[in-house]
Amino acid sequence: SITNLTNGVGYYIQVSARNARGNGTKVAIGPITPRNCLHMDACGVCIEPYYEIWGKQCQPPLCHNAGPPGNDQTRLVDCTPNGCRVEVFYAEEWGTIDGSSTTEVSTDLVCTELGLRPRPADCGMDVCTSKVQPAPAIGDSPYIWLQGVTCRGNEPSIHDCPASMGWRTDPATNEYGIGKWYVPLATHDRDLGICCWAPIPGTTTPGGTAGGGAQSASQGTPAPGG
């Protein structure tokens, strides 16, 4: 067993498999944060990512609203502490997404695509998950680009996810046929909203944004200078 660890400090621990042939290659796991509290009880301090023990004494993070993050395909706009509106770029125009049948896996993917992390389904509040419906502020774009988005979760962008198909004129090609882009009968009161949190300190999200530092340890001992 590992002893003499400090509560609330993240440690990286070296482990290896052992069998009759000897010991395997050592690998580091972590960060692991010890805590002296019972499951589902508040610890007295709020330590992420243990959402399940925050209880009523701790306030989960607000939705990311420190400036509208985005890339050349996806962006969050009109952000508030309660969420943002998702917009995607297609045919040289930004447009919204109909959120009524878009899945939570899809909104989770948007957060990670933009270097943030999705608000989890268990976050210590009455309303959780990354999907916010309707969006905190509806859009005024002439285009609602997608509807019924059903990402698997491993796509590089929400652009690459399956979505509802139908007969329509694609504004990018001006051709009439079956496609997913452009939902002419949708209305902005169903625009998709999203709640993403900033990255956990010491981690890097799939989108590439790193948080603050975490202590490093070997065999449960904090690294020098930690």
Side-chain angles (χ1 to χ4, degrees), residues 39-91:
H39 182 66
M40 299 302 290
D41 288 343
C43 289
V45 294
C46 303
I47 301 173
E48 296 187 64
Y50 299 107
Y51 316 113
E52 75 275 8
I53 62 171
W54 285 0
K56 296 182 179 179
Q57 299 180 23
C58 300
Q59 179 63 43
L62 298 174
C63 301
H64 178 86
N65 67 334
N71 53 39
D72 60 355
Q73 290 189 312
T74 310
R75 69 181 183 182
L76 307 183
V77 296
D78 290 340
C79 293
T80 75
N82 298 316
C84 306
R85 185 176 69 255
V86 181
E87 292 190 351
V88 292
F89 193 72
Y90 184 73

Side-chain angles (χ1 to χ4, degrees), residues 112-191:
T112 55
E113 175 189 353
L114 297 178
L116 302 171
R117 58 183 166 131
R119 182 172 62 181
D122 180 9
C123 69
M125 298 187 297
D126 293 335
V127 179
C128 295
T129 76
S130 59
K131 182 177 178 179
V132 177
Q133 194 67 30
I138 63 174
D140 56 5
S141 165
Y143 295 106
I144 299 174
W145 281 132
L146 297 170
Q147 183 180 51
V149 184
T150 54
C151 299
R152 294 180 297 272
N154 58 354
E155 296 89 349
S157 168
I158 195 171
H159 278 239
D160 304 299
C161 296
S164 298
M165 305 285 283
W167 288 95
R168 59 201 67 179
T169 299
D170 188 328
T173 62
N174 205 32
E175 295 180 355
Y176 185 75
I178 295 178
K180 70 177 185 179
W181 293 100
Y182 187 42
V183 189
L185 300 181
T187 56
H188 281 297
D189 61 335
R190 300 191 301 187
D191 281 348

